[in-house]
Amino acid sequence: MSTTIEGVYRNSTIKLSEASSDVCEGTRVVVTFLPPGSIDLREREIDKAQAAEM
């Protein structure tokens, strides 16, 4: 199962907007950089589970 957490990239570091107790230290990740002004999933009433399925 995948987990989706929003974050921000600054100074070659990704800062997550929240911590997840489901994810173990050292877990591999895939990062997708979104263009500025990209689609706001919350505004479109898409939750984390739905986003992960997409």
Side-chain angles (χ1 to χ4, degrees):
M1 181 175 156
S2 64
T3 300
T4 302
I5 302 174
E6 186 177 345
V8 176
Y9 177 79
R10 284 194 185 104
N11 300 320
S12 300
T13 302
I14 297 172
K15 180 168 174 84
L16 301 177
S17 60
E18 62 186 82
S20 175
S21 58
D22 301 11
V23 181
C24 298
E25 190 72 24
T27 299
R28 294 177 56 200
V29 299
V30 174
V31 178
T32 302
F33 290 92
L34 302 172
S38 62
I39 297 170
D40 182 353
L41 297 179
R42 284 184 222 131
E43 181 180 281
R44 299 183 187 276
E45 299 181 7
I46 298 172
D47 64 24
K48 290 180 183 181
Q50 293 167 320
E53 289 178 19
M54 288 190 221

